């Protein structure tokens, strides 16, 4: 398929899947329950953190997670006491357990009180063309207070070879603006051109079939290759093609 044909094909698939009805079956529905910027950020970050495995299970457990935060994630994170953490019960999603959940609440409180919030951290460390170094720096900041070692595995690091799918998805939600009400676009300090595709088994397999990716592993090197090729199709909004790749893989079995 020629580049012009590939672009036309993928642009069309973006219009098919970048629609409000996409929200109904996707974890992005969780932050869409909120209107306040900080609530959207925290609900989105926590949801993205557990976004691996069965999507119905992800959505169910994300709803439970936010219910435990009394449906006021920003207020709970910023103002909670040690006693409040006791109400989180025995939350678990696959390998993300109560110990991890409690630390995430404490780390987020630290970020909002000492680092002016999630957006400020990613804005500070993003380069003009990428957010990958910001993800690396974010992990260091996230774990700069005393923490259980087991919890570090739940934040990926591109510098250690990870494609950081879940954080890249979270950044897409926050920074990418669309006209259909799916991605929020509430972070004006990061542009869509800086974002990377949330690379997973579905988008990776479709990208290989379309010739956008040759590397077999879904790692940081594969993400760089995919990003480079998607930027050739649309340098201003390359991550929009996540809708096309994911939709083709999950809904069409491409």
């Amino acid at each position: 398929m020629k580049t012009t044909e590939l672009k036309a094909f993928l642009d069309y698939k973006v219009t098919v899947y970048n629609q409000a009805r996409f929200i109904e079956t996707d974890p992005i529905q969780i932050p869409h329950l909120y209107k306040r910027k900080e609530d959207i950020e925290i609900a989105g970050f926590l949801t993205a953190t557990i976004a691996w495995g069965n999507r119905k299970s992800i959505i169910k457990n994300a709803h439970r997670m936010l219910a435990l935060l009394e449906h006021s994630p920003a207020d709970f994170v910023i103002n909670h006491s040690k006693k409040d953490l006791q109400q989180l019960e025995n939350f678990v999603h696959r390998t993300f357990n109560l110990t991890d959940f409690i630390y995430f609440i404490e780390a987020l409180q630290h970020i909002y009180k000492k680092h002016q919030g999630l957006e400020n951290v990613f804005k500070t460390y993003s380069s003009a063309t990428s957010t990958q170094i910001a993800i690396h720096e974010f992990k260091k900041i996230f774990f700069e207070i005393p923490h259980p070692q087991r919890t570090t595995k739940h934040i990926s690091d591109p510098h250690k070879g990870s494609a950081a799918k879940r954080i890249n998805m979270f950044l897409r939600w926050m920074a990418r603006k669309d006209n259909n009400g799916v991605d929020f676009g509430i972070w004006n300090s990061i542009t869509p051109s800086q974002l990377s595709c949330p690379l997973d088994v579905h988008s990776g397999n479709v990208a290989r079939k379309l010739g956008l990716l040759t590397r077999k592993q879904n790692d940081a090197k594969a993400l760089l290759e995919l990003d480079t090729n998607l930027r050739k199709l649309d340098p201003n909004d390359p991550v929009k093609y996540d809708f096309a790749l994911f939709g083709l893989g999950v809904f069409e079995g491409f």
Side-chain angles (χ1 to χ4, degrees):
M1 193 181 298
K2 295 179 180 178
T3 301
T4 54
E5 295 172 334
L6 177 60
K7 176 175 170 55
F9 173 68
L10 290 178
D11 283 344
Y12 169 69
K13 291 299 179 179
V14 170
T15 66
V16 171
Y17 293 109
N18 189 188
Q19 298 288 339
R21 64 179 180 272
F22 180 86
I23 298 171
E24 299 170 5
T25 59
D26 194 80
I28 200 174
Q29 67 181 260
I30 306 299
H32 269 289
L33 296 171
Y34 302 96
K35 300 297 182 183
R36 181 185 173 194
K37 177 178 183 282
E38 291 79 9
D39 283 331
I40 294 170
E41 291 173 345
I42 292 171
F45 179 74
L46 292 174
T47 299
T49 295
I50 65 167
W52 83 99
N54 179 275
R55 289 210 295 166
K56 288 184 179 179
S57 177
I58 294 165
I59 293 167
K60 177 183 177 181
N61 285 330
H63 274 295
R64 180 166 175 249
M65 184 183 278
L66 272 298
L68 291 170
L69 301 183
E70 302 172 348
H71 297 291
S72 299
D75 180 63
F76 191 99
V77 161
I78 294 168
N79 300 311
H80 75 271
S81 64
K82 292 291 183 182
K83 183 178 179 181
D84 293 325
L85 296 176
Q86 295 175 8
Q87 74 185 50
L88 301 185
E89 302 174 0
N90 292 317
F91 179 85
V92 61
H93 174 81
R94 297 174 72 96
T95 63
F96 187 89
N97 66 17
L98 178 61
T99 298
D100 305 317
F101 191 17
I102 288 174
Y103 180 75
F104 266 60
I105 300 303
E106 294 174 337
L108 285 168
Q109 182 186 67
H110 176 73
I111 283 172
Y112 278 88
K113 287 190 172 183
K114 301 298 182 181
H115 294 280
Q116 294 78 54
L118 286 166
E119 180 180 6
N120 186 63
V121 174
F122 284 100
K123 173 188 71 175
T124 300
Y125 295 102
S126 291
S127 72
T129 59
S130 175
T131 55
Q132 297 310 290
I133 190 172
I135 296 174
H136 169 71
E137 295 295 332
F138 170 75
K139 179 166 186 173
K140 292 197 293 186
I141 290 170
F142 197 80
F143 291 107
E144 69 183 6
I145 60 175
H147 58 273
Q149 185 59 36
R150 60 154 285 121
T151 304
T152 61
K153 68 185 178 183
H154 292 296
I155 300 289
S156 299
D157 186 350
H159 285 201
K160 293 186 177 180
S162 174
K165 174 253 181 178
R166 286 171 284 164
I167 298 183
N168 283 315
M169 181 177 70
F170 167 69
L171 293 176
R172 195 205 84 201
W173 291 355
M174 296 300 107
R176 182 180 175 269
K177 300 170 178 63
D178 65 38
N179 297 317
N180 299 312
V182 181
D183 291 327
F184 292 92
I186 56 174
W187 286 7
N188 294 317
S189 59
I190 295 175
T191 66
S193 64
Q194 295 169 273
L195 299 174
S196 290
C197 185
L199 176 60
D200 65 7
V201 63
H202 303 292
S203 56
N205 288 343
V206 173
R208 290 180 185 94
K209 290 177 181 178
L210 293 173
L212 292 166
L213 184 57
T214 59
R215 187 170 174 82
K216 294 181 179 180
Q217 302 96 318
N218 290 328
D219 58 10
K221 291 181 179 179
L223 182 65
L224 177 59
E225 181 186 357
L226 179 60
D227 280 347
T228 300
N229 286 324
L230 293 181
R231 278 165 168 72
K232 293 175 183 176
L233 301 179
D234 188 338
N236 295 319
D237 189 15
V239 78
K240 73 180 183 184
Y241 293 113
D242 180 40
F243 286 98
L245 298 177
F246 184 80
L248 283 165
V250 172
F251 300 117
E252 299 186 34
F254 183 86

